[in-house]
Amino acid sequence: RKMHALSELGPNFMISLLRIEFLLNEIGVHVNALVDFDKGKLAPDLQEKVADKIAGYASGKEYFITKLSEGIASFAAVFPESDITVRSTDFKTNEYENLIGGNAYETDEENPMMGWRGLVRSLAPENRDAFKWELEAIKRAREMGYKNIKLMFPVVRDPKELTGDPELDAIGFKGAFEIMQEVGMGKGMDGLKVGIMVEVPTNAVRIHDFIDAGIDFVSFGTNDLTQFALAVDRDNEKLQRLSWYGEANPAIVHLVKGVIRACKERGVETGICGQAPSNKPEFAKMLVEEGIVSIGVMPDRFLSTYRLTREVEKNLSAANTTS
């Protein structure tokens, strides 16, 4: 409801990142607890707690897919002219623990930010059903008529996580594209676009390998890209006092520019959904000058950033006309 007024901007506005995690919080139950509920494998007290939560639904699976697909579709309905980029789950282990049943499936990690998170977690055999349910929810939302929904994967550390590989097969994992096929959601089917977050340095260093794997678009996550490239815990207030521990660091700018240029060369769309353009106008200016396709900002910073990008685009157009 808070964002409904922005829908009047039509194709000038898009959801650059719809985090499934927010919807999972509303669902309230660890997805693996729902999987085991359907199999009758939960401890009696947890089985009863989950049953109360999903009352009125035929199964844990139907509860999860219905809730998630309806949540996604509600955004697509408000912004029918805009792309809706839905990112698959990137909960960290400490965040999953807060859901009903979470303690039964998560282990404590010293640094969850760099731990069992991202796409590879979804590819593990113990999370296979959960990942399929996510994909089926996105598929169902698209089948409601919202073909403007795109799929994006977080923290993709290697292109093999997309395509699959014998080394993954040997430990029971599968590639994301393989699992998508299993639920009838092949890349390109009904115009489905699939992309990755660029938030790990390897995404920038090996961008051509990721493009070769078959991605349609990328979106920068500058919070994590900064964290991983500069060895900075994004929650560490002491380090954040130093100006060079941020997105404007020349190393981060260099990585971002390199990816945009490579993607332009290969015909892959680029966007950003990190906080950098909201917080640093010069960073937003650099992105426009490099030719990024879309810039995602917090809703309260939309107007100021929109005006800035229009001004930069106007100046670039004038410069090209006179040169």
Side-chain angles (χ1 to χ4, degrees):
R1 290 191 297 269
K2 294 178 181 178
M3 299 174 67
H4 187 273
L6 294 172
S7 65
E8 297 181 11
L9 294 168
N12 289 321
F13 181 82
M14 61 185 292
I15 303 293
S16 62
L17 175 60
L18 177 56
R19 294 181 173 92
I20 281 183
E21 294 84 19
F22 294 134
L23 299 173
L24 293 188
N25 274 328
E26 298 222 356
I27 289 171
V29 184
H30 194 291
V31 61
N32 284 341
L34 292 170
V35 171
D36 283 343
F37 173 86
D38 287 352
K39 297 176 180 178
K41 293 173 60 177
L42 296 179
D45 58 334
L46 184 54
Q47 188 86 4
E48 183 177 350
K49 186 178 293 187
V50 173
D52 289 341
K53 184 70 176 177
I54 70 170
Y57 291 85
S59 64
K61 179 178 181 179
E62 188 57 30
Y63 171 79
F64 181 88
I65 293 177
T66 299
K67 287 284 190 179
L68 187 54
S69 63
E70 288 179 350
I72 293 169
S74 66
F75 281 90
V78 174
F79 303 99
E81 299 180 67
S82 308
D83 286 341
I84 310 292
T85 303
V86 178
R87 189 184 69 184
S88 63
T89 303
D90 189 30
F91 257 172
K92 274 68 79 177
T93 51
N94 59 323
E95 295 170 318
Y96 268 118
E97 285 182 336
N98 298 322
L99 301 175
I100 294 173
N103 289 330
Y105 298 94
E106 303 301 331
T107 56
D108 291 334
E109 293 184 306
E110 290 294 332
N111 188 350
M113 279 288 189
M114 298 185 70
W116 190 225
R117 62 174 291 203
L119 179 60
V120 72
R121 175 184 170 119
S122 297
L123 308 181
E126 65 268 25
N127 296 318
R128 186 76 43 76
D129 287 338
F131 187 45
K132 285 184 176 180
W133 289 8
E134 278 186 36
L135 295 175
E136 288 183 41
I138 296 169
K139 179 185 176 185
R140 184 181 293 185
R142 285 176 52 83
E143 288 173 344
M144 294 178 190
Y146 303 117
K147 304 301 184 184
N148 53 330
I149 294 172
K150 305 194 296 186
L151 172 61
M152 182 166 65
F153 297 124
V155 192
V156 186
R157 298 170 172 94
D158 193 286
K160 294 173 184 176
E161 296 173 18
L162 297 170
T163 61
D165 184 80
E167 185 177 345
L168 289 176
D169 295 339
I171 57 173
F173 286 56
K174 287 188 177 182
F177 293 160
E178 295 175 309
I179 300 173
M180 288 173 61
Q181 289 286 352
E182 291 179 7
V183 299
M185 193 180 176
K187 193 178 75 70
M189 187 179 295
D190 290 329
L192 175 63
K193 292 184 178 181
V194 181
I196 64 168
M197 294 281 288
V198 172
E199 51 193 346
V200 185
T202 188
N203 300 144
V205 174
R206 300 184 60 194
I207 184 59
H208 286 286
D209 293 334
F210 283 97
I211 294 173
D212 289 341
I215 59 173
D216 300 303
F217 67 94
V218 303
S219 183
F220 295 99
T222 51
N223 291 342
D224 270 333
L225 184 61
T226 301
Q227 171 176 248
F228 294 139
L230 301 181
V232 180
D233 183 342
R234 58 195 266 190
D235 295 328
N236 190 309
E237 295 180 0
K238 292 182 179 180
L239 286 173
Q240 290 174 358
R241 292 179 298 178
L242 300 170
S243 62
W244 54 88
Y245 285 120
E247 300 92 340
N249 185 291
I252 308 304
V253 173
H254 176 77
L255 292 174
V256 170
K257 285 183 176 180
V259 171
I260 294 175
R261 292 171 185 177
C263 288
K264 285 175 65 177
E265 176 188 325
R266 300 286 300 275
V268 171
E269 296 178 14
T270 55
I272 187 168
C273 50
Q275 294 180 0
S278 295
N279 299 334
K280 298 177 175 64
E282 284 301 311
F283 196 90
K285 182 174 181 288
M286 176 274 293
L287 294 171
V288 177
E289 291 173 342
E290 288 295 326
I292 200 166
V293 175
S294 64
I295 295 178
V297 296
M298 299 302 290
D300 62 334
R301 299 300 298 272
F302 176 84
L303 188 57
S304 60
T305 307
Y306 180 68
R307 287 171 175 167
L308 172 65
T309 57
R310 289 298 300 270
E311 184 65 24
V312 175
E313 289 172 342
K314 180 180 177 181
N315 293 338
L316 287 174
S317 178
N320 291 333
T321 300
T322 57
S323 61

